[in-house]
Amino acid sequence: MKKAIVEHDVVNSQGVLFAAKGESVNQQRLEDLLSRGEISFEEYVECNPNATEAEMAKAFISYSIGKTIPFAPETIKHEVMEILEQVSDENNVAEMVGCLERRSLWSYEHSMRVAIIAAAIGKKMNFSDDELIVAAEGSIVHDVGKIFFVNLVEKHGTLTQEEYKIIKEHTKAGYRFLKGAGFKEEVANIALLHHERRNGNGYWGLSDLPRTVEAVGIADSIDAMMAARPYKNGIDINKVIGQLTEEYRINNSYDPDMLIEARKLMLLP
Ligand SMILES: [Fe+2]
Ligand SMILES: [Fe+2]
């Protein structure tokens, strides 16, 4: 069993010394603590400075699952982990992840959380294995078109109307980019359609969406609303689900069954 030698004292968020400088920590224990949210991803990295890139990626997914869908049954968390690991191992996805990570760290982390929520919703909605892979892969690359608009994505401050109009193009740019990189039509379509709504109230007024697109659309809305950004505070998950449910009730924008499943995955019953 691989062990990590801690480079300096690591104190967890409750102020408890978790590992002292020079201590040897079993990697499995680190991963368990991480997946239960007892140490943060940064603490994991500090305790495990020699982790390979693959180990770090796995640890980041496990950590994000624990944080993102805390109330999902363990079986679902396990299955989501397997789907994400499988998808992240594909060469073309790994390349896109590297691209996102380098250009916009926020977009990378957002995309991984979207993949977790969308895959978990898909599991609860009995998606086929193919649909689950499409939803997870599509989530990871859904905002890849934003690499062409990094200045606007990372802008500190609200977007002007003109800038908002420009950034909407990330959907079409992402679709073209993914098609050029050899991604399947269903996956590229998630980049193109993730801001569309079933009532036609999305970016480009399209409706009649595949359910993989709807799952990613809900996951994307949830994460985007919850996230604190330089120009806005994050919204509490209770309020986010409340607002989306209200939006469904008034405008029929989202699949109501998917909203119910998202609520169960992310909120105490
Ligand atoms: Fe987007
Ligand atoms: Fe997004």
Side-chain angles (χ1 to χ4, degrees), residues 29-92:
R29 180 163 173 249
L30 280 178
E31 283 172 13
D32 287 349
L33 289 166
L34 184 67
S35 63
R36 295 208 304 270
E38 289 178 34
I39 56 171
S40 69
F41 184 64
E42 286 71 25
E43 285 156 0
Y44 167 87
V45 175
E46 278 183 53
C47 289
N48 202 1
N50 298 321
T52 63
E53 218 164 274
E55 285 166 349
M56 298 255 279
K58 189 175 163 217
F60 181 73
I61 295 171
S62 154
Y63 169 70
S64 305
I65 288 174
K67 280 268 196 213
T68 311
I69 48 169
F71 302 109
E74 285 307 312
T75 48
I76 298 274
K77 287 185 187 169
H78 185 77
E79 285 164 339
V80 169
M81 181 84 201
E82 278 185 353
I83 296 165
L84 260 66
E85 277 190 297
Q86 185 188 335
V87 165
S88 317
D89 268 354
E90 286 166 29
N91 283 343
N92 50 2

Side-chain angles (χ1 to χ4, degrees), residues 28-200:
Q28 185 61 51
R29 180 163 173 249
L30 280 178
E31 283 172 13
D32 287 349
L33 289 166
L34 184 67
S35 63
R36 295 208 304 270
E38 289 178 34
I39 56 171
S40 69
F41 184 64
E42 286 71 25
E43 285 156 0
Y44 167 87
V45 175
E46 278 183 53
C47 289
N48 202 1
N50 298 321
T52 63
E53 218 164 274
E55 285 166 349
M56 298 255 279
K58 189 175 163 217
F60 181 73
I61 295 171
S62 154
Y63 169 70
S64 305
I65 288 174
K67 280 268 196 213
T68 311
I69 48 169
F71 302 109
E74 285 307 312
T75 48
I76 298 274
K77 287 185 187 169
H78 185 77
E79 285 164 339
V80 169
M81 181 84 201
E82 278 185 353
I83 296 165
L84 260 66
E85 277 190 297
Q86 185 188 335
V87 165
S88 317
D89 268 354
E90 286 166 29
N91 283 343
N92 50 2
V93 177
E95 229 169 83
M96 291 297 151
V97 165
C99 208
L100 268 181
E101 222 176 346
R102 285 189 299 276
R103 303 293 286 273
S104 167
L105 190 59
W106 187 83
S107 294
Y108 162 72
E109 292 180 351
H110 161 69
S111 302
M112 294 309 280
R113 290 191 299 265
V114 171
I116 290 165
I117 302 167
I121 290 175
K123 270 305 300 180
K124 300 291 273 179
M125 299 291 295
N126 297 318
F127 279 19
S128 68
D129 289 350
D130 276 356
E131 285 176 309
L132 287 168
I133 295 292
V134 166
E137 202 169 310
S139 296
I140 293 179
V141 297
H142 78 281
D143 271 338
V144 84
K146 284 190 177 170
I147 59 175
F148 302 107
F149 308 96
V150 170
N151 292 351
L152 292 181
V153 176
E154 300 285 326
K155 184 184 166 184
H156 290 221
T158 323
L159 297 178
T160 64
Q161 276 215 324
E162 193 49 38
E163 288 170 333
Y164 180 70
K165 223 169 118 189
I166 294 170
I167 211 165
K168 274 166 72 173
E169 294 290 329
H170 78 275
T171 52
K172 294 177 180 171
Y175 175 83
R176 286 192 296 268
F177 187 57
L178 292 170
K179 287 292 282 184
F183 278 80
K184 281 200 287 196
E185 180 73 15
E186 296 96 304
V187 174
N189 256 336
I190 290 183
L192 180 66
L193 301 173
H194 67 277
H195 289 283
E196 301 310 309
R197 298 293 170 251
R198 50 171 45 200
N199 59 2

Side-chain angles (χ1 to χ4, degrees), residues 218 221-222 225 237-264 267:
I218 286 184
S221 296
I222 290 174
M225 288 164 81
I237 179 64
N238 267 296
K239 286 196 188 130
V240 168
I241 297 280
Q243 282 184 26
L244 295 183
T245 308
E246 187 64 2
E247 174 65 24
Y248 155 71
R249 206 181 56 76
I250 297 172
N251 294 322
N252 186 29
S253 314
Y254 297 98
D255 181 317
D257 296 326
M258 289 189 189
L259 282 175
I260 291 169
E261 294 305 343
R263 172 192 289 274
K264 288 194 221 155
L267 283 170

